[in-house]
Structure formats: C-alpha cells, structure tokens
Amino acid sequence: MRMQFAAAAVLFALPLGGCAVAALGTAGAVGVAAAQEKSLGEAVDDATASNEIKSKLLSESANKFGEVDVEVTGGLVLLSGRVNTPEERVKAEGIAWTSHLTRDVANEIRIQPPGGFLANVSDEVITGRVRARLVGSSTVKSLNFNIETYNGVVYLMGIARSAEELKRAAEEASVVGGVKQVVSYVRIRDNTRTQQAAPTTQGTPPYQTAPDASYDYQADGELIGANY
C-alpha cells in the first residue's frame, strides 16, 4: 500500500505529548495494528525504531536528551521536545538516523532550557484533549493518528484515509484550548505514488515535503483560508 506524505500547519490548535516516552512493545503494536491502516510489520518496525532511538538518546546522555520525544510512523522519525544547544539538536538527529528502520527524520527539537514538570504536564493534558476530540469525531479514524505536543504545538502523525480526513483531524485539534499550532506529518493513502523527503545530516529538519494544504484558523477555530 503506497502513501503520500502530507505536511500541514494549522494555527491556534492544541498540545503535545510532553516528554514522557510512550514505549510501545511488540505485543502492543500487534494489537494496535489490527485496528490501524498500517500493517502488522509496519507497526512492529515503528515500535522497534522508537524504542531503539529513545534508548540510544538516553544512553548517550539522559541529562541532555531526557526531554526529547521520539515518535515513529512508517519509518518517519519525529523528534520533538527541547535541548540546550544546537550541537545537541544535531546530535539527536544523527542518533535517529542510526536505526536501520529510519526512512526520514523530522527534527522539531527546540533549543530551550528544561521545561520542568508543569510544562510537561500541560502538554500531556493538551494531548489528551486532542485525542478525545479525534475519538469523538464521526469522520476521523482516531487510531490512525499519533499525537505529540510540545509547548502548545500539536504534532499529528499517522495515516489519513483521505485529504478530507486529515483536514478534519487538524480542525478538531485546532479548537482545543491551549493549542497554539497544529503541524501534520500525516501520510495520506495513495494508490499512485509515494513521496519521500531526501535524507540530510544538517541541523535543520530534513523532512522538506511541501504541504498539500495549509489552514489558518482564528482562535475560535473558524477557518480563515486554505492554500493548496
């Protein structure tokens, strides 16, 4: 099954999965894959890559990379969270590329001092609220979407069955209180082609696929405009 990568930025949305590590074991991946669009093999590979990369980061330095989150979908590694220096940001990306299961890396790590317990909890709350919105939506298959939140910026990953479903998921996230922006690294199911980002070892995010559409929202979630 081929996929098309889509990246969409949405203003005034909601939170991130904080700095807690969601380590999904193989048994968990098997159960989740049964309800997702991804295959069992993809689910196991993603869980394995996520655990491998996070373990390497902590082994390198728990102090430096303890607030770096790792999420993997379809071989795309999303790094979010915070580190103290640009060199640590580049180092974290380099570690992500060491996994043989890595196909692309989206480096969203910020150069900031530690956020502390309250900042992380706030992001976790936002993530939970966004998840609840997706679960309650009749047009979004919530199990296909992973949610990470950092400093009020919500990152969506996963597989959308259509561009309309992706748009709806972003809209649902954008109306959650506390969300500043929604950034999507969601793949859209496509039977004709697969678009991938070119690997890079630079400090800037290597995931450079142009957005299929970007949406701007007012604080109340009203759509101002869309560009395709």
Side-chain angles (χ1 to χ4, degrees):
M1 175 170 53
R2 290 186 167 184
M3 304 287 179
Q4 172 187 354
F5 283 109
V10 184
L11 299 180
F12 303 109
L14 82 79
L16 146 60
C19 298
V21 182
L24 178 65
T26 303
V30 171
V32 172
Q36 289 183 325
E37 300 297 318
K38 67 172 64 175
S39 69
L40 173 59
E42 288 175 325
V44 172
D45 283 351
D46 288 346
T48 300
S50 179
N51 290 336
E52 176 188 357
I53 294 168
K54 186 62 180 182
S55 294
K56 287 182 177 180
L57 287 171
L58 295 178
S59 295
E60 177 71 23
S61 176
N63 290 331
K64 292 179 179 179
F65 303 118
E67 292 199 33
V68 173
D69 291 308
V70 181
E71 187 70 46
V72 183
T73 298
L76 170 64
V77 180
L78 171 65
L79 299 177
S80 60
R82 52 176 75 82
V83 293
N84 289 315
T85 68
E87 291 76 16
E88 291 172 0
R89 184 178 186 271
V90 173
K91 179 65 174 179
E93 182 175 329
I95 291 174
W97 279 110
T98 63
S99 173
H100 73 282
L101 297 170
T102 297
R103 292 170 54 197
D104 280 303
V105 178
N107 192 344
E108 296 283 354
I109 296 174
R110 309 287 182 88
I111 311 301
Q112 293 178 346
F117 176 77
L118 292 180
N120 294 336
V121 168
S122 176
D123 284 339
E124 292 290 351
V125 169
I126 293 175
T127 295
R129 290 175 177 170
V130 172
R131 171 61 62 192
R133 293 281 307 189
L134 297 187
V135 169
S137 173
S138 61
T139 58
V140 176
K141 189 173 181 180
S142 61
L143 282 175
N144 284 337
F145 293 86
N146 295 327
I147 305 163
E148 290 290 327
T149 306
Y150 170 74
N151 197 27
V153 178
V154 175
Y155 298 96
L156 299 178
M157 296 183 72
I159 302 172
R161 294 168 294 178
S162 66
E164 181 60 33
E165 183 183 38
L166 171 55
K167 177 182 177 181
R168 184 58 182 166
E171 290 172 344
E172 291 285 0
S174 71
V175 299
V176 173
V179 173
K180 300 175 182 177
Q181 185 181 17
V182 175
V183 178
S184 170
Y185 285 102
V186 174
R187 297 185 298 167
I188 299 176
R189 263 203 321 200
D190 181 37
N191 293 324
T192 60
R193 64 189 177 94
T194 301
Q195 182 176 341
Q196 298 180 6
T200 178
T201 58
Q202 302 302 313
T204 54
Y207 193 80
Q208 299 292 338
T209 302
D212 284 342
S214 63
Y215 311 102
D216 289 340
Y217 289 83
Q218 295 176 348
D220 59 2
E222 181 179 353
L223 180 64
I224 299 172
N227 299 312
Y228 295 87

